[in-house]
Amino acid sequence: MDIKRYDVIVIGAGPAGLSAAIEASKAGMNVIVFDENAKPGGQLFKQIHKFFGSKEHKAKVRGFKIGEELLAEADKLGVTVVLNATVIGLYAEKEVTVRIDDAICHYKGDAIIVATGAAENMVTFRGWTKPGVIGAGAAQTMMNLHQIKPGNRILMLGSGNVGLVVSYQLMQAGCEVVALVDAAPKIGGYGVHAAKVARTGVPFYLSHTIVEAEGEEYVEGVTIAEVDSSFQFIPGTEKHFDVDTICLAVGLSPMSQLLKALGCDMVEDPKRGGYVPECDEYGETSIRGVFVAGDVSGIEEASSAMIEGRIAGVAAAYELGFMEKEELDEKIAIHEHALDTLRQGMFTPKNRGKVLEKTEEGCPVSTNLLKKGYLTDEEVFAYPGVTKQAGVHPVMECSQNIPCNPCQDACPKGCISIGENITSLPVVVETAECIGCGMCVASCSGQAIFLVDESYEEEFATVTLPYEFLPLPKAGDKGKGLSRSGEVICDAEVVDVKSVKAFDHTSLLTIKVPKDMAMKARFYKEG
C-alpha cells in the first residue's frame, strides 16, 4: 500500500484550516490540506459582509476577500490543497484515508490538524421536508456562490447573527423577507445586524415559531404562532404568510465525528455548540499530535477560527521540533491576545443565556432592540455616539459592547474615539471637526453610523447613510425616508451618491429630509 507522508495533515480548507496550514508552512513544514468541497475557503466565500474586530482581525474586510488572501498566502508558501477529497478515516498513528474522486488514498502525518467546521442544525415542523425549506447556509451558497435567488418571498427562522446577516443578503439579492421569527424572547445576534434589517421594514416576531409549512408539493405558505415560556404554542396566536421559501438559521453543530471515531476524549458542551473534543490551550486533543481549530472545537465567528488555526499551526510546529520554545511562546502570546480581544463584550461565551441590563459604560440595554430589532427615537440618545451638533457630524447608533473599532481608525480627523478597550461604545470627540468624508459610515461593519447635517437648509437637513442595494438611486431621485422600524415617515430627495474604491462597495447615500426628521430617518425607499 502506497502511503504518502507529510509533516502536517490539515483536514478542512476553511478559515481555521488554511490559517493552520499557513503557520505550519511558515515554520518550514511540509503541509497538505484536504477538503471535501470543490472550492477551498469554507464559509468565507459565502460571506459578502464586512467582518467585525480590529485591523489585526481583518475588520471591515469582506469574508470572500479574506478567503482570497488566505488562499494566496497558502499558495505562495507551497501548501498543497487537495479538493473533492473526503477524509473517511482518521487513526491514532496519524494516518488518514481519503476518497479522492473514485480512489481511496492513504496518507501519514507527524501531526494532524482537524478543522472540519460545523453543520447547520434543522428543526422539525409539519411540512418541514417540503421543497422550499432550506438552511441559511444553503441560501448563501445559492446567492453568493451561484447567483441564484433562493426564492421570492421568504420567511427567516432564527435571529442569531446568521439569520440576521442572511436576511439582509436575501434582500440584497432581490428577495422579499416577509418576517424574521425566533422562538426565543430576545434577538440572539448583534443589535446592529438586527437594526439594518428592521429599518428596511422587515417585522420581527420573537417568542414565535413555525407551526406548519403549507402547500401540496412545495412551500406555498407558512403559519407561525406565539409560544409560552415552555415553548408551547399559545392557541389563537397563529399568523399566516404567503411565502415560497422558509429559511432556517437555527444554529450550528460541530462536525466532530472523525475525532470521536479516532478515540479523542469528548464532552457535550452546549456553550460550545454540542459534542466537542477536550483540548488544551493550544488546541491539542487527548491524543498527542492531533490538534483542532475552528468550529469543530466550539462554535464562534470566523475571525476566532482563523486565530485558533494559527495557534494550532505553531503548536504543531513546536511539537515536531520546527520551532523553539521562545518563538512558540512569543507567537502564542500574540494570537491569544487577539483571541481574547474577540471574546470580550456582551456576546462573549460566558454571557450566553444571561440577561444584561447595562452596557460596560452603564448605558441601559434597549429592550426594544432585543424584541423588535431597533432603537426607539427616545432610546437612541442614551448612547455616547449619538449627539446633536452644529454642521455635519457622525451619529453612531452603536448600543452594545461588541469587539469592533474600524470607525476609530477610519476617521482622518479623529472625530471618533473607542479607546484601548475594543468593546467600548464609540464616542464623538467634540473638539474635532468632521469634514463629512464618510469614511466612518463606509467602514462600520454593522452599518450603524450616519452623517447628519441639520444646518443644510433652513427647513431641511441631510442624512448620509450606508447603502448596499442595487440599482443605486441617483441624485435628484425622490422617494421616502424610513424610520428605524422601517415605517415611512417623510418625503426624501437624494442629494448625493458616493461610490469610491475606499468604501469597498458600501455606497454613501445622502438624502434631504425635513429638519425634524434628521435624527429619525435611517433608510431610503424609492417611489
Coordinates of all heavy atoms in Angstrom, one line a residue, residues 66-128:
I66 N -11.1 38.0 2.5 CA -10.2 37.3 3.4 C -9.9 35.9 2.9 O -8.7 35.5 3.0 CB -10.9 37.2 4.8 CG1 -11.1 38.6 5.4 CG2 -10.1 36.4 5.8 CD1 -12.0 38.6 6.7
G67 N -10.9 35.2 2.3 CA -10.6 33.9 1.8 C -9.6 34.0 0.6 O -8.7 33.1 0.6
E68 N -9.7 35.0 -0.2 CA -8.8 35.1 -1.3 C -7.3 35.4 -0.8 O -6.4 34.8 -1.3 CB -9.2 36.3 -2.2 CG -10.4 36.0 -3.0 CD -10.9 37.3 -3.8 OE1 -10.3 38.4 -3.6 OE2 -11.9 37.2 -4.5
E69 N -7.2 36.2 0.3 CA -5.9 36.5 0.9 C -5.3 35.2 1.5 O -4.1 35.0 1.3 CB -6.1 37.6 1.9 CG -6.4 39.0 1.4 CD -6.8 40.0 2.5 OE1 -6.6 39.6 3.7 OE2 -7.2 41.1 2.2
L70 N -6.1 34.4 2.2 CA -5.6 33.2 2.8 C -5.1 32.2 1.7 O -4.0 31.6 1.8 CB -6.7 32.5 3.7 CG -7.0 33.2 5.0 CD1 -8.2 32.5 5.7 CD2 -5.8 33.3 5.9
L71 N -5.9 32.1 0.7 CA -5.5 31.1 -0.4 C -4.2 31.6 -1.1 O -3.4 30.8 -1.4 CB -6.7 31.0 -1.4 CG -7.9 30.2 -1.0 CD1 -9.0 30.3 -2.0 CD2 -7.5 28.7 -0.8
A72 N -4.1 32.9 -1.3 CA -2.9 33.4 -2.0 C -1.7 33.2 -1.1 O -0.6 32.8 -1.6 CB -3.1 34.9 -2.3
E73 N -1.8 33.4 0.2 CA -0.7 33.2 1.1 C -0.3 31.7 1.2 O 0.9 31.4 1.2 CB -1.1 33.7 2.5 CG 0.1 33.7 3.4 CD -0.1 34.4 4.8 OE1 -1.3 34.9 5.0 OE2 0.8 34.5 5.6
A74 N -1.3 30.8 1.3 CA -1.0 29.4 1.3 C -0.3 28.9 0.0 O 0.6 28.1 0.1 CB -2.3 28.6 1.5
D75 N -0.8 29.4 -1.1 CA -0.2 29.0 -2.4 C 1.3 29.5 -2.5 O 2.1 28.8 -2.9 CB -1.0 29.6 -3.5 CG -0.5 29.2 -4.9 OD1 -0.5 28.0 -5.2 OD2 -0.1 30.1 -5.7
K76 N 1.5 30.7 -2.0 CA 2.8 31.3 -2.0 C 3.8 30.5 -1.2 O 5.0 30.4 -1.5 CB 2.8 32.8 -1.6 CG 4.1 33.5 -1.7 CD 3.9 35.0 -1.3 CE 5.2 35.7 -1.4 NZ 5.1 37.2 -1.0
L77 N 3.3 30.0 -0.1 CA 4.1 29.2 0.8 C 4.3 27.7 0.4 O 5.0 27.0 1.0 CB 3.5 29.2 2.2 CG 3.6 30.6 3.0 CD1 2.7 30.6 4.2 CD2 5.1 30.8 3.4
G78 N 3.6 27.3 -0.7 CA 3.7 26.0 -1.2 C 2.9 24.9 -0.5 O 3.1 23.7 -0.6
V79 N 1.8 25.4 0.2 CA 0.9 24.4 0.8 C 0.1 23.7 -0.3 O -0.4 24.3 -1.2 CB -0.1 25.2 1.7 CG1 -1.2 24.2 2.3 CG2 0.7 25.9 2.9
T80 N 0.0 22.4 -0.2 CA -0.7 21.6 -1.1 C -2.2 21.5 -0.6 O -2.4 21.1 0.5 CB -0.2 20.1 -1.2 OG1 1.2 20.2 -1.6 CG2 -1.0 19.3 -2.2
V81 N -3.1 21.9 -1.5 CA -4.5 21.9 -1.1 C -5.2 20.9 -2.1 O -5.2 21.1 -3.3 CB -5.2 23.3 -1.2 CG1 -6.7 23.2 -0.9 CG2 -4.5 24.2 -0.2
V82 N -5.8 19.9 -1.6 CA -6.5 18.8 -2.4 C -8.0 19.0 -2.2 O -8.5 18.8 -1.1 CB -6.0 17.4 -2.1 CG1 -6.6 16.4 -3.0 CG2 -4.5 17.3 -2.1
L83 N -8.7 19.2 -3.3 CA -10.1 19.4 -3.2 C -10.9 18.2 -3.7 O -10.3 17.2 -4.2 CB -10.5 20.6 -4.1 CG -9.8 21.9 -3.7 CD1 -10.2 23.0 -4.7 CD2 -10.2 22.4 -2.3
N84 N -12.2 18.2 -3.4 CA -13.0 17.0 -3.7 C -12.4 15.8 -3.0 O -12.4 14.7 -3.6 CB -13.2 16.8 -5.2 CG -13.9 17.9 -5.9 OD1 -15.0 18.3 -5.4 ND2 -13.4 18.4 -6.9
A85 N -11.9 16.0 -1.8 CA -11.2 15.0 -1.1 C -11.8 14.8 0.3 O -11.7 15.7 1.1 CB -9.7 15.3 -0.9
T86 N -12.5 13.7 0.4 CA -13.2 13.4 1.7 C -12.4 12.5 2.6 O -12.1 11.3 2.2 CB -14.6 12.8 1.4 OG1 -15.3 13.6 0.5 CG2 -15.4 12.6 2.7
V87 N -12.1 13.0 3.8 CA -11.4 12.1 4.7 C -12.4 11.2 5.3 O -13.3 11.6 6.0 CB -10.7 12.9 5.8 CG1 -10.1 12.0 6.9 CG2 -9.6 13.8 5.2
I88 N -12.2 9.9 5.1 CA -13.2 8.9 5.6 C -12.6 8.0 6.7 O -13.3 7.3 7.4 CB -13.6 7.9 4.4 CG1 -12.4 7.3 3.8 CG2 -14.4 8.7 3.4 CD1 -12.8 6.2 2.7
G89 N -11.3 8.2 7.1 CA -10.8 7.5 8.2 C -9.6 8.3 8.8 O -8.8 8.9 8.1
L90 N -9.6 8.3 10.1 CA -8.5 9.0 10.9 C -8.1 8.1 12.0 O -8.9 7.6 12.8 CB -9.0 10.4 11.4 CG -8.1 11.2 12.3 CD1 -6.8 11.5 11.6 CD2 -8.8 12.5 12.8
Y91 N -6.8 7.8 12.1 CA -6.3 6.8 13.0 C -5.2 7.4 13.9 O -4.5 8.3 13.6 CB -5.7 5.6 12.2 CG -6.8 5.1 11.2 CD1 -6.7 5.5 9.9 CD2 -7.8 4.3 11.6 CE1 -7.6 5.0 9.0 CE2 -8.8 3.8 10.7 CZ -8.7 4.2 9.4 OH -9.6 3.8 8.5
A92 N -5.1 6.7 15.1 CA -4.2 7.2 16.1 C -2.7 7.3 15.7 O -1.9 8.1 16.2 CB -4.3 6.4 17.4
E93 N -2.3 6.5 14.7 CA -0.9 6.6 14.2 C -0.7 7.7 13.2 O 0.2 7.8 12.5 CB -0.6 5.3 13.4 CG -0.6 4.0 14.3 CD -2.0 3.5 14.6 OE1 -3.0 3.9 13.9 OE2 -2.2 2.7 15.6
K94 N -1.7 8.7 13.3 CA -1.7 9.9 12.4 C -1.8 9.5 10.9 O -1.3 10.2 10.0 CB -0.3 10.7 12.6 CG 0.1 10.9 14.0 CD -0.9 11.8 14.8 CE -0.3 12.1 16.2 NZ 0.1 10.9 17.0
E95 N -2.5 8.4 10.7 CA -2.8 8.1 9.3 C -4.2 8.5 8.9 O -5.1 8.5 9.8 CB -2.7 6.5 9.1 CG -1.2 6.1 9.2 CD -1.1 4.6 8.9 OE1 -2.1 4.0 8.4 OE2 -0.1 4.0 9.2
V96 N -4.4 8.9 7.7 CA -5.8 9.2 7.2 C -6.0 8.5 5.9 O -5.1 8.2 5.1 CB -5.9 10.7 7.0 CG1 -5.8 11.5 8.3 CG2 -5.0 11.3 5.9
T97 N -7.3 8.1 5.7 CA -7.6 7.6 4.4 C -8.6 8.6 3.8 O -9.5 9.1 4.4 CB -8.4 6.2 4.5 OG1 -9.4 6.3 5.5 CG2 -7.4 5.1 4.9
V98 N -8.3 8.9 2.5 CA -9.0 9.9 1.8 C -9.6 9.4 0.5 O -8.9 8.7 -0.3 CB -8.1 11.1 1.5 CG1 -8.9 12.3 1.0 CG2 -7.3 11.5 2.7
R99 N -10.9 9.7 0.3 CA -11.5 9.4 -1.0 C -11.4 10.6 -1.9 O -11.9 11.7 -1.7 CB -13.0 9.0 -0.9 CG -13.6 8.5 -2.2 CD -15.1 8.2 -2.0 NE -15.9 9.3 -1.8 CZ -16.8 9.5 -0.8 NH1 -16.9 8.5 0.1 NH2 -17.5 10.6 -0.7
I100 N -10.6 10.4 -3.0 CA -10.3 11.5 -4.0 C -10.8 10.9 -5.3 O -10.3 10.0 -5.9 CB -8.8 11.8 -4.1 CG1 -8.3 12.3 -2.7 CG2 -8.6 12.9 -5.1 CD1 -6.8 12.5 -2.6
D101 N -11.9 11.6 -5.8 CA -12.6 11.1 -6.9 C -13.1 9.6 -6.6 O -13.8 9.4 -5.6 CB -11.8 11.1 -8.2 CG -11.4 12.6 -8.6 OD1 -12.3 13.4 -8.4 OD2 -10.3 12.8 -9.1
D102 N -12.7 8.6 -7.4 CA -13.1 7.3 -7.1 C -12.0 6.4 -6.4 O -12.2 5.2 -6.2 CB -13.5 6.6 -8.4 CG -14.8 7.2 -9.0 OD1 -15.6 7.7 -8.3 OD2 -14.9 7.3 -10.3
A103 N -10.9 7.1 -6.0 CA -9.8 6.4 -5.5 C -9.8 6.6 -3.9 O -10.1 7.6 -3.4 CB -8.5 6.8 -6.1
I104 N -9.3 5.5 -3.2 CA -9.0 5.6 -1.8 C -7.5 5.8 -1.6 O -6.8 4.8 -2.0 CB -9.6 4.4 -1.0 CG1 -11.1 4.2 -1.3 CG2 -9.3 4.5 0.5 CD1 -11.9 5.4 -0.8
C105 N -7.1 6.9 -1.0 CA -5.7 7.2 -0.9 C -5.3 7.2 0.6 O -6.1 7.5 1.5 CB -5.3 8.5 -1.5 SG -5.8 8.6 -3.2
H106 N -4.0 6.9 0.9 CA -3.5 6.8 2.3 C -2.4 7.8 2.5 O -1.5 7.9 1.7 CB -3.0 5.4 2.5 CG -4.1 4.3 2.4 ND1 -4.9 3.8 3.4 CD2 -4.5 3.6 1.3 CE1 -5.7 2.9 2.9 NE2 -5.5 2.8 1.6
Y107 N -2.5 8.5 3.6 CA -1.5 9.5 4.0 C -1.1 9.3 5.4 O -1.9 8.9 6.2 CB -2.0 10.9 3.7 CG -2.4 11.2 2.3 CD1 -3.6 10.8 1.7 CD2 -1.5 11.9 1.5 CE1 -3.9 11.1 0.4 CE2 -1.8 12.3 0.2 CZ -3.0 11.8 -0.4 OH -3.2 12.1 -1.7
K108 N 0.1 9.7 5.7 CA 0.6 9.7 7.1 C 1.2 11.0 7.5 O 2.0 11.5 6.7 CB 1.5 8.5 7.4 CG 2.0 8.4 8.8 CD 2.8 7.2 9.1 CE 3.3 7.1 10.5 NZ 2.3 7.1 11.5
G109 N 0.9 11.6 8.6 CA 1.5 12.8 9.0 C 2.1 12.7 10.4 O 1.7 11.8 11.2
D110 N 3.0 13.6 10.7 CA 3.6 13.6 12.1 C 2.6 14.3 13.0 O 2.7 14.1 14.2 CB 5.0 14.2 12.1 CG 6.0 13.4 11.3 OD1 5.9 12.2 11.4 OD2 6.8 14.0 10.6
A111 N 1.8 15.2 12.4 CA 0.7 15.9 13.2 C -0.5 16.0 12.3 O -0.4 16.1 11.1 CB 1.2 17.2 13.7
I112 N -1.6 16.0 13.0 CA -2.9 16.2 12.3 C -3.6 17.4 12.9 O -3.7 17.5 14.1 CB -3.8 15.0 12.4 CG1 -3.1 13.7 12.0 CG2 -5.1 15.2 11.7 CD1 -2.9 13.5 10.5
I113 N -4.1 18.3 12.0 CA -5.0 19.4 12.5 C -6.3 19.2 11.9 O -6.5 19.3 10.6 CB -4.3 20.8 12.1 CG1 -3.0 20.9 12.8 CG2 -5.3 21.9 12.6 CD1 -2.2 22.2 12.3
V114 N -7.3 19.0 12.7 CA -8.7 18.8 12.3 C -9.4 20.2 12.3 O -9.6 20.8 13.4 CB -9.4 17.8 13.1 CG1 -10.9 17.6 12.6 CG2 -8.7 16.4 13.0
A115 N -9.9 20.6 11.2 CA -10.6 21.9 11.1 C -11.8 21.7 10.2 O -12.0 22.4 9.1 CB -9.7 23.0 10.6
T116 N -12.7 20.8 10.6 CA -13.8 20.3 9.7 C -15.0 21.2 9.9 O -16.0 21.0 9.1 CB -14.2 18.9 10.1 OG1 -14.2 18.7 11.5 CG2 -13.2 17.9 9.5
G117 N -15.0 22.2 10.8 CA -16.1 23.2 10.8 C -17.3 22.6 11.5 O -17.3 21.8 12.4
A118 N -18.5 23.1 11.0 CA -19.8 22.8 11.6 C -20.8 22.6 10.5 O -20.7 23.0 9.4 CB -20.2 23.9 12.6
A119 N -21.9 21.9 10.9 CA -23.0 21.7 10.0 C -24.3 22.4 10.6 O -24.4 22.7 11.8 CB -23.4 20.2 9.9
E120 N -25.2 22.8 9.7 CA -26.4 23.5 10.1 C -27.3 22.6 10.8 O -27.5 21.5 10.5 CB -27.1 24.1 8.8 CG -26.4 25.2 8.2 CD -27.3 25.9 7.1 OE1 -27.4 25.4 6.0 OE2 -27.9 26.9 7.5
N121 N -27.9 23.2 11.9 CA -29.0 22.5 12.6 C -30.3 22.6 11.8 O -30.5 23.5 11.0 CB -29.2 23.0 14.0 CG -28.0 22.8 14.9 OD1 -27.2 21.9 14.6 ND2 -27.8 23.6 15.9
M122 N -31.2 21.7 12.0 CA -32.5 21.7 11.5 C -33.6 21.7 12.6 O -33.3 21.2 13.7 CB -32.8 20.6 10.5 CG -32.0 20.7 9.2 SD -32.6 22.0 8.1 CE -31.2 23.1 8.0
V123 N -34.8 22.1 12.4 CA -35.9 21.9 13.3 C -37.0 21.3 12.5 O -37.1 21.5 11.3 CB -36.4 23.3 13.9 CG1 -35.3 23.8 14.9 CG2 -36.7 24.3 12.9
T124 N -37.8 20.6 13.2 CA -38.9 19.9 12.5 C -40.2 20.5 12.8 O -40.5 21.0 13.9 CB -39.0 18.4 12.9 OG1 -39.2 18.3 14.3 CG2 -37.7 17.7 12.5
F125 N -41.1 20.6 11.8 CA -42.5 21.1 12.0 C -43.3 20.4 10.8 O -42.7 19.8 9.9 CB -42.5 22.6 11.9 CG -41.7 23.2 10.8 CD1 -42.1 23.3 9.5 CD2 -40.4 23.7 11.1 CE1 -41.3 23.8 8.5 CE2 -39.6 24.2 10.1 CZ -40.1 24.3 8.8
R126 N -44.6 20.6 10.9 CA -45.4 19.9 9.8 C -45.0 20.5 8.5 O -44.9 21.7 8.3 CB -46.9 20.2 10.1 CG -47.4 19.4 11.2 CD -48.9 19.2 11.1 NE -49.6 20.5 11.1 CZ -50.0 21.2 12.1 NH1 -49.8 20.8 13.3 NH2 -50.7 22.3 12.0
G127 N -44.6 19.7 7.5 CA -44.2 20.1 6.2 C -42.8 20.5 6.1 O -42.4 21.0 5.0
W128 N -41.9 20.2 7.1 CA -40.5 20.7 7.0 C -39.7 20.0 5.9 O -38.6 20.5 5.6 CB -39.9 20.5 8.4 CG -39.5 19.0 8.7 CD1 -40.3 18.1 9.1 CD2 -38.2 18.5 8.7 NE1 -39.6 16.9 9.4 CE2 -38.3 17.1 9.1 CE3 -36.9 19.0 8.4 CZ2 -37.2 16.3 9.2 CZ3 -35.8 18.1 8.5 CH2 -36.0 16.8 8.9

